Amino acid sequence: MTVDHGFPEHVFDSLGAAPAPFPDLVGGSVRVVEKRPVDGPVTVMTLGASRLPTDSGERVELAVEVLDGQQGVALVALEIVCDDITRNRRVPPVGAPWRNSEPFLSGTRISAIMATGSRWGSEFDEVRHEGAVVGHVRTLRLLTDAEASFTTARGWDALVAEAGSLDALLDVTRGDAASAPTGIDGNRPVFLSKLHAEHPPRWVTFTGAHLQSVTGLESDAYMNDSANHEVWSVDTFLARFPWVADFAQQALPGQTALFTDASGAYVIEDD
């Protein structure tokens, strides 16, 4: 068995279920199959995504777990990701939701896709050739925007715990299984430039893990010098700039607030 044979054989043999092919391709060249494992949900998989070239050289097949009757949803998600692999020559990053401003499935709240490991562990997730891992199967999770925000802040395992089970996240017609987290712990870090000693923050960003703040007076050369940066706690930052507190309590991961004065008023800037 060659490396190239390893991917289709893995797809065909996995989950102990025979593959049923779909008639149409996704991404122009990738075949899709459906599998019905005895102890798990309907799983729709790519058969050929691993042939798409990537700049990193990584090779992946993709899988989506769905309720029976929602296989069309899996096809939409697989096409979106295969198109992205083809266009941008990258594989989906594990644990980082790709978020859309609007739901991409009509009649649902689903607006984000995230790659994770599967419920089956390495036996399903790893593609091997002569004992060596040569690629992976990435399971795509279909999330609402609130669930994507929650996952960005707290991680996939925390979302599963909040939802109650993996299966609670299958039905794409569901409401939000978790609320977007608000507020930032006072001991979280704030990365800021030393110009804050003389000037107030202008743009403050919540990444989901920490705050970043700039005054707007920093040049590229200034920002590229690590000696010009400091790390404070959120509590210390808000004690110095209390008008940022409202944003810190309401910020969602990925949001940037623009402050033009010390009134506490701010505008959320789009990416």
Side-chain angles (χ1 to χ4, degrees):
M1 180 178 71
T2 67
V3 172
D4 285 339
H5 288 157
F7 287 88
E9 292 197 16
H10 182 84
V11 173
F12 271 77
D13 294 341
S14 62
L15 304 183
F22 285 74
D24 298 324
L25 304 179
V26 297
S29 63
V30 178
R31 185 157 299 285
V32 177
V33 300
E34 174 186 311
K35 310 200 84 174
R36 292 175 174 261
V38 173
D39 298 322
V42 174
T43 302
V44 180
M45 300 181 66
T46 58
L47 182 56
S50 57
R51 296 196 303 268
L52 299 174
T54 64
D55 289 338
S56 67
E58 295 175 87
R59 303 177 68 183
V60 297
E61 297 292 350
L62 307 168
V64 184
E65 297 179 346
V66 294
L67 296 183
D68 197 8
Q70 295 185 356
Q71 286 88 334
V73 169
L75 290 175
V76 171
L78 293 174
E79 182 151 27
I80 289 172
V81 177
C82 284
D83 284 347
D84 186 82
I85 294 173
T86 300
R87 184 170 57 254
N88 296 310
R89 296 176 62 91
R90 63 181 179 183
V91 298
V94 175
W98 294 356
R99 297 170 69 178
N100 195 42
S101 59
E102 300 292 335
F104 55 79
L105 296 173
S106 178
T108 78
R109 299 173 63 85
I110 301 299
S111 61
I113 300 174
M114 184 177 72
T116 73
S118 73
R119 67 178 69 211
W120 311 103
S122 60
E123 183 176 356
F124 179 72
D125 297 343
E126 296 178 351
V127 180
R128 293 181 173 270
H129 173 64
E130 296 182 350
V133 176
V134 295
H136 292 87
V137 177
R138 297 303 188 199
T139 299
L140 304 180
R141 309 296 182 177
L142 309 182
L143 307 176
T144 69
D145 191 68
E147 292 164 358
S149 293
F150 184 97
T151 304
T152 298
R154 301 183 184 175
W156 168 245
D157 290 340
L159 177 63
V160 174
E162 184 75 7
S165 69
L166 278 172
D167 291 343
L169 296 166
L170 294 182
D171 186 357
V172 297
T173 66
R174 68 182 182 273
D176 297 325
S179 299
T182 59
I184 305 171
D185 292 340
N187 60 358
R188 290 278 188 103
V190 182
F191 296 88
L192 69 166
S193 76
K194 290 184 177 180
L195 288 182
H196 287 75
E198 300 175 4
H199 303 281
R202 182 169 177 83
W203 284 284
V204 180
T205 299
F206 178 41
T207 67
H210 56 264
L211 288 178
Q212 297 173 342
S213 181
V214 293
T215 67
L217 300 174
E218 297 87 352
S219 66
D220 289 342
Y222 185 94
M223 292 297 289
N224 288 334
D225 186 345
S226 61
N228 293 327
H229 299 269
E230 295 182 320
V231 182
W232 298 0
S233 70
V234 168
D235 282 344
T236 299
F237 184 70
L238 295 183
R240 175 68 176 82
F241 306 110
W243 60 87
V244 181
D246 282 349
F247 172 68
Q249 288 303 312
Q250 301 176 37
L252 298 179
Q255 287 186 331
T256 295
L258 169 63
F259 294 87
T260 57
D261 55 37
S263 69
Y266 61 88
V267 175
I268 298 296
E269 293 210 327
D270 295 329
D271 294 337

